[in-house]
Amino acid sequence: LPLSDQNACAAEEYYSMSTIKETAQYIQKYTNENFLRSVMESDCNFLYRGLSPDANKQLVTENSSGLVITDEPFDLLDVETYGSDAAATYFQSLEVQMNANRLSIRPSNSHMGSTCPLEAAKWGTAVSIWPLGEHGVRFAWMEGGGLFWPVPASSESRTIAHCNGTQNDDRRLSEALRGDSWEIMFRADNGFLAVPAAFDNELKEILRQ
């Protein structure tokens, strides 16, 4: 699969890897450097997502340890995603707020991840995600942690923290990755690698070497 720093994926929708060693090597070579550094600084705390049915079928069919996904639909603004008009309205207001604050990450161009694989598994097979390339990769989370939705009943005014790739941002992202069941929104214009959480221990061992 041909890759470059600017475009870390081919035009194919999916590309799979057969061994966890191959997957780890791919991560070390093609994952966004700032994100990988944040993961390592967090003592290898991963960011997770529930795999879509189509992607999961591809993973199972090929008995793969890693799957590059380049065409995941953005669904945070869809009513069907949370089955709630209120949720869709909330993310639409977040879209307006983040756009007004000139953030390049917002619900319309991003996906939702979690620092907890059990939470991610509520949406599908839990996978750690690894954004690819050095451009078009951004992160955002709620200052102090927690979920974007549903909004906590005790919440009055919440601040959005975001990461644009500076060294200081890396430290903040590593702290967020240590959070207990924190949601982290991520933008990955070049796609991302998905690795089943079942491989977590093996993957961490290789990355720490």
Side-chain angles (χ1 to χ4, degrees), residues 41-206:
E41 289 177 353
S42 75
D43 194 25
C44 272
N45 283 281
F46 294 165
L47 180 61
Y48 300 92
R49 178 172 172 79
L51 208 58
S52 69
D54 287 345
N56 187 62
K57 181 179 178 180
Q58 184 78 11
L59 195 73
V60 172
T61 299
E62 300 190 11
N63 192 28
S64 176
S65 63
L67 190 68
V68 173
I69 301 174
T70 64
D71 195 24
E72 184 90 330
F74 304 118
D75 60 4
L76 289 174
L77 298 178
D78 297 342
V79 173
E80 293 79 9
T81 300
Y82 288 88
S84 164
D85 288 332
T89 299
Y90 166 75
F91 280 105
Q92 186 59 59
S93 67
L94 201 62
E95 175 86 10
V96 173
Q97 177 186 346
M98 295 173 86
N99 190 49
N101 290 335
R102 300 183 181 278
L103 300 184
S104 60
I105 179 171
R106 44 190 178 271
S108 62
N109 63 15
S110 304
H111 305 291
M112 192 65 73
S114 173
T115 59
C116 176
L118 295 179
E119 289 297 320
K122 294 177 181 179
W123 298 87
T125 300
V127 293
S128 60
I129 65 97
W130 304 86
L132 304 173
E134 298 310 310
H135 302 278
V137 177
R138 296 289 186 271
F139 303 90
W141 59 94
M142 287 298 171
E143 196 75 60
L147 307 178
F148 278 83
W149 180 268
V151 177
S154 60
S155 174
E156 295 181 0
S157 178
R158 301 197 297 170
T159 302
I160 299 172
H162 61 94
C163 172
N164 288 324
T166 67
Q167 188 173 1
N168 185 56
D169 282 343
D170 290 347
R171 287 195 294 270
R172 296 179 69 212
L173 179 57
S174 69
E175 291 170 1
L177 288 169
R178 293 189 185 97
D180 182 18
S181 299
W182 285 24
E183 284 188 338
I184 299 178
M185 187 184 298
F186 67 96
R187 176 178 175 178
D189 290 359
N190 299 307
F192 57 91
L193 172 66
V195 183
F199 291 108
D200 275 4
N201 290 337
E202 293 176 75
L203 181 57
K204 289 180 182 183
E205 183 178 352
I206 296 173

Side-chain angles (χ1 to χ4, degrees), residues 8-30:
C9 57
E12 302 171 45
E13 185 176 356
Y14 300 118
Y15 170 74
S16 63
M17 275 145 272
S18 57
T19 69
I20 192 61
K21 184 176 181 180
E22 179 187 358
T23 300
Q25 290 172 339
Y26 192 98
I27 287 172
Q28 291 168 329
K29 189 171 184 179
Y30 297 119

